[in-house]
Amino acid sequence: MRETGGRGQGPGRGGGGAGSHGGPGAVRRTPGGPGRPGRQGGTGSGRSEGPRDEPPRRNRDEDAGRSRRDDGDGRARREGRPGPGDRPGSEGRPPSDRRAGSDRRQDADGPSAQESRPRRPGGDATRSAGQGRADDPFDLPRGLTGAPSQEGRRGRSDATVPAPRGGQRHDARPPRSQSQGQSKGPSQSQAPPPRRPVRRPPPPPRPPRPPLVLRLGNPRRRINIGLIGMTFILSIFAGRLIQLQGLDSKIYEAKAADQRVISEVIPAKRGSITDAGGHALAVTVEAREIAVDPSKIPADQRAKMAATLAKELGKPEADIAAKLARLTSRYELVARDVDPVVADRVLDHELPTVTTKKTYRRTYPAGDLAGTLIGFVGNDGTGLEGVEQMRNSRLAGQDGKQSVEQGRDGQRIPMTRSQRQAPIAGRDVRLTIDRDIQWAAQKAIAQQVSASGALSGTVIVMDVKTAQIIAMANAPELDLNNWQKAPDTSYVNRAVSEVFEPGSTNKVITAAAAIEAGAVRPDTTFRVADHIRCADQILKDSHPHKTETMTFKKVVETSSNVGTIQAARRVGDERLFAMLKNFGFGTRPGLGLPGEEAGLLPDYKSWSGTQRCTVAYGQGVSVTALQTASVYQAIANGGVRVEPRIVAGETDAHGRFVPAKPGKQTRVVSGQTAREIASMLEGAVSAEGTGTLAAIPGYRVAGKTGTANRYDQQLGRYNGYTASFVGFAPADKPELVVLAVVQKPSEDIYGGHVAAPVFKDVMTFAIKSRKIPPTAPTAAPSAPPARIGTGH
């Protein structure tokens, strides 16, 4: 009976060769030594008669190759030479050991080693055709390589019984029939009888390998880290919210309000300035400001707009065109202080971006009347000079405020908050100025300055009892309606700010000091020459004359410098200095006007040798026109000096007039001394005096002329003269004081000739305006011959 290990494709193999592969249940052949029987092979190519498992198709080529190797091995043994399967050293190993090793290698290595090693090109095709070579290194017997068979890897459903120690082994496969073929060689007769195969139970299947799982770490740690991160982020948000809504809430609220809340100032109406009779000298009227937005004006309409605005507003077209050409500007003020009627005409043209704003405009109905005294208001509504500056806080009032919420287009947001604080109008200020007398004073001094070719002139009219300023005129005067076009020198109120040496008008103070001290009396006589030595210089009298005896009254009447120096030496420097201070020299008069000066009165201890003499007749000291007028006000008031006043009063919050407080009164000399000096001054205006041109028919007039060298501060030296005259009337019952000062006259330099006529014109008008009755004969005194001298 013939065995076969599978599908035979060649002649049967001898007993010493390696059998071909069988099915899945075939016994693995172990190579043995010489004379060991091999598997009986068949000559046919049919299948085995016994039951067997059909190997997979992919192993059939391997079976064919092994059959070829077995065939070659059998032939080698028959011919007495070792076959490819006879491996040295294999005889000593039991088949069971070799099988066990093979099985162990199969279990350890898994798939067959034959499958894992590389195949020779074309090897599969050759073996599949039954033409394999026995000496091919890729076709080594399985016993030499130790690789597990493909069938063993697939399972051992047909287990085999290990061969006995004699080297014989029987397949568990059922034997083939004799008709299928018989292996060639002598080992055929020695083959043992076939044994019944013993089936082993299949081994338990290997457990499935668990799938690959990615370990993500500890979840609790991840949760904690996430919570920490979330807490940190939330703490940042919470801190920012606390900062925005708690700490910085006021700041952001203010910024938001600034963006949408627009505050607008409501200007207060400035108070009026009136004269003593209530006539308006400065008033505030309603006006308009006209502005444009150049960034929104179409290019093709700019020229037309400039021409229209220039025509309506009376401004140069080039100036308006330049403002319209500023494309980066959102607001350009075209004109201010525009009359409302003119502003309405501008709006009627419907020019793009043209807007108007309600404002107030300061006007001066009297033009240049008391211009330097009243002053003016700047573009921002603040007083800059004169009473406008002195009483600015009262006149200006308090501006109101209005705040509204508006959107980006400038329109007010409906139903939003709106705050409005009403403005408080300014107080009206009433001056002591008499409009009519002010006009007469300005006219008289302007005419004389022009006639004498003088640089400037000043006139002050003062009430004797109250020291209120009735008129304060300067020439040239400032036109308040066109103050922008006037030079800066015209802004100065010379009556309170211009300092000059008084000259002979100061001799009344020396006379008052001498009489008050008891050093002289009006009838005290002096031996007077036309010159006198003072320190290292010779000082001349007011006019050349022979040495003669003069009473002190005559010394004052004729304005003798030498006689005045002799009287001052009897008084002494200290007493003379004290009298000058009592009359207000060296201190401000107290009006409070801007630029008010105190003059210059050096201390008697610093007087030089010549200054001890010149101070007595009004040189070496400096005063203002207001200070000089205040001296004669004290003499006319019986020796009581009153601080001058320019403001009569002002209205209160309810519009009621509240009078100003009277000026401080100070007794300078006794009433007797004042009357004696007044009598001397009345003689100076008489035919015997130097001020004959100041006499007024029907009225007793007392006064004094003055002529002094004029100190020019710009040049730093004396340049020209200052001519002045000051007096009061009626002399027996004084009512008014008038001072006239002419600076640097060119035609005539003496006060009796230049300033006295101005005094006469102004005093005459003031007396008539005040309706002061005459107290003296109406006959006018005859004019004496002109006297020559610097003391006049």
Side-chain angles (χ1 to χ4, degrees), residues 265-541:
V265 177
I266 304 175
K269 185 178 181 180
R270 192 176 181 86
S272 301
I273 299 177
T274 63
D275 71 341
H279 302 95
L281 300 177
V283 295
T284 298
V285 296
E286 189 175 320
R288 298 289 186 272
E289 286 184 354
I290 298 179
V292 296
D293 184 358
S295 63
K296 296 182 179 179
I297 300 176
D300 56 347
Q301 298 186 20
R302 291 195 184 97
K304 180 181 179 181
M305 284 185 60
T308 303
L309 292 174
K311 179 180 178 182
E312 294 292 346
L313 301 176
K315 291 182 174 296
E317 183 177 349
D319 296 345
I320 298 179
K323 293 182 179 181
L324 299 182
R326 299 172 184 172
L327 303 181
T328 58
S329 176
R330 298 294 304 273
Y331 178 85
E332 286 294 329
L333 182 62
V334 178
R336 57 164 46 95
D337 297 337
V338 180
D339 189 270
V341 177
V342 177
D344 291 341
R345 289 204 306 266
V346 171
L347 294 178
D348 291 341
H349 290 282
E350 297 182 355
L351 302 175
T353 74
V354 174
T355 59
T356 62
K357 179 182 178 181
K358 180 181 177 181
T359 58
Y360 293 102
R361 177 169 59 94
R362 195 70 164 172
T363 62
Y364 303 93
D368 64 347
L369 187 69
T372 54
L373 171 63
I374 296 174
F376 50 86
V377 176
N379 294 330
D380 58 350
T382 303
L384 299 180
E385 293 290 345
V387 178
E388 294 277 24
Q389 181 178 349
M390 181 180 69
R391 294 285 178 168
N392 181 71
S393 59
R394 292 290 188 176
L395 292 168
Q398 185 176 352
D399 293 339
K401 296 180 180 179
Q402 182 177 1
S403 59
V404 297
E405 296 186 17
Q406 65 179 18
R408 295 181 57 185
D409 55 354
Q411 298 294 330
R412 180 178 177 181
I413 302 175
M415 305 300 293
T416 56
R417 64 177 181 175
S418 176
Q419 296 179 354
R420 187 179 188 275
Q421 180 181 352
I424 300 175
R427 309 286 180 88
D428 295 337
V429 175
R430 183 181 296 182
L431 303 180
T432 60
I433 297 297
D434 187 301
R435 181 181 62 174
D436 297 335
I437 299 176
Q438 177 71 28
W439 174 82
Q442 286 187 203
K443 180 181 177 182
I445 190 63
Q447 290 177 351
Q448 187 62 19
V449 168
S450 177
S452 63
L455 181 64
S456 62
T458 299
V459 171
I460 294 178
V461 180
M462 184 184 293
D463 188 273
V464 171
K465 300 300 181 181
T466 62
Q468 291 181 350
I469 307 299
I470 298 175
M472 184 176 285
N474 292 280
E477 195 57 89
L478 175 64
D479 184 4
L480 298 178
N481 291 323
N482 296 290
W483 62 268
Q484 297 92 339
K485 300 178 181 179
D488 295 345
T489 55
S490 301
Y491 301 162
V492 179
N493 186 358
R494 297 178 179 86
V496 297
S497 62
E498 189 173 47
V499 177
F500 57 90
E501 293 183 352
S504 295
T505 58
N506 198 51
K507 292 176 180 178
V508 296
I509 299 178
T510 304
I515 295 174
E516 192 72 11
V520 298
R521 298 198 54 83
D523 56 356
T524 302
T525 59
F526 294 93
R527 189 69 177 173
V528 180
D530 63 351
H531 64 276
I532 189 172
R533 174 174 286 276
C534 190
D536 57 345
Q537 292 187 9
I538 301 297
L539 301 179
K540 296 182 179 181
D541 205 349

Side-chain angles (χ1 to χ4, degrees), residues 130 149 173 182 208 238 438 576 682 738 768 783:
S149 65
R173 192 183 303 260
Q182 184 176 359
Q438 177 71 28
L576 180 59
E682 189 176 356
V738 176
K768 292 179 179 180

Side-chain angles (χ1 to χ4, degrees), residues 52-316:
R52 68 179 182 87
D53 295 334
E54 179 71 19
R57 179 175 297 272
R58 65 178 182 176
N59 292 330
R60 291 176 183 175
D61 296 338
E62 297 176 5
D63 295 340
R66 290 190 183 96
S67 299
R68 287 191 299 270
R69 286 194 298 269
D70 293 345
D71 186 32
D73 188 59
R75 286 195 305 269
R77 286 189 175 96
R78 285 193 304 268
E79 294 174 359
R81 54 185 176 88
D86 297 335
R87 185 175 181 180
S90 60
E91 296 85 358
R93 292 182 59 185
S96 60
D97 295 342
R98 288 193 300 269
R99 177 174 177 82
S102 176
D103 293 341
R104 284 193 301 268
R105 283 192 302 270
Q106 180 180 0
D107 295 339
D109 296 340
S112 173
Q114 185 177 356
E115 294 178 356
S116 62
R117 66 173 178 261
R119 294 182 179 181
R120 187 178 58 183
D124 291 343
T126 306
R127 284 190 292 269
S128 62
Q131 299 176 0
R133 295 172 55 185
D135 56 350
D136 192 342
F138 290 95
D139 295 333
L140 295 178
R142 293 187 58 88
L144 294 179
T145 60
S149 65
Q150 185 71 18
E151 293 80 2
R153 186 171 63 105
R154 294 179 177 272
R156 299 183 181 91
S157 57
D158 298 331
T160 58
V161 180
R165 288 190 176 269
Q168 295 181 355
R169 186 185 62 175
H170 299 278
D171 292 335
R173 192 183 303 260
R176 292 185 179 183
S177 62
Q178 293 293 331
S179 61
Q180 291 181 348
Q182 184 176 359
S183 62
K184 297 181 179 182
S187 58
Q188 184 178 2
S189 60
Q190 299 176 2
R195 299 178 61 180
R196 186 175 181 178
V198 179
R199 293 182 178 273
R200 291 183 179 180
R206 294 182 179 180
R209 180 176 295 181
L212 183 62
V213 179
L214 179 64
R215 296 180 61 86
L216 299 179
N218 191 349
R220 179 176 298 176
R221 183 185 304 170
R222 293 195 302 272
I223 293 174
N224 292 338
I225 294 175
L227 290 177
I228 292 174
M230 292 176 63
T231 303
F232 178 73
I233 295 174
L234 291 177
S235 64
I236 294 176
F237 284 113
R240 183 61 174 166
L241 288 175
I242 293 173
Q243 180 187 6
L244 294 178
Q245 299 183 359
L247 301 178
D248 298 341
S249 60
K250 298 298 183 181
I251 298 176
Y252 289 101
E253 182 180 355
K255 290 183 178 180
D258 292 340
Q259 293 179 357
R260 70 177 185 277
V261 178
I262 303 301
S263 298
E264 183 180 8
V265 177
I266 304 175
K269 185 178 181 180
R270 192 176 181 86
S272 301
I273 299 177
T274 63
D275 71 341
H279 302 95
L281 300 177
V283 295
T284 298
V285 296
E286 189 175 320
R288 298 289 186 272
E289 286 184 354
I290 298 179
V292 296
D293 184 358
S295 63
K296 296 182 179 179
I297 300 176
D300 56 347
Q301 298 186 20
R302 291 195 184 97
K304 180 181 179 181
M305 284 185 60
T308 303
L309 292 174
K311 179 180 178 182
E312 294 292 346
L313 301 176
K315 291 182 174 296

Side-chain angles (χ1 to χ4, degrees), residues 540-560:
K540 296 182 179 181
D541 205 349
S542 57
H543 58 281
H545 62 84
K546 295 179 180 180
T547 301
E548 58 180 318
T549 300
M550 294 182 184
T551 63
F552 187 62
K553 181 179 180 181
K554 189 176 181 180
V555 168
V556 176
E557 290 175 354
T558 59
S559 190
S560 173

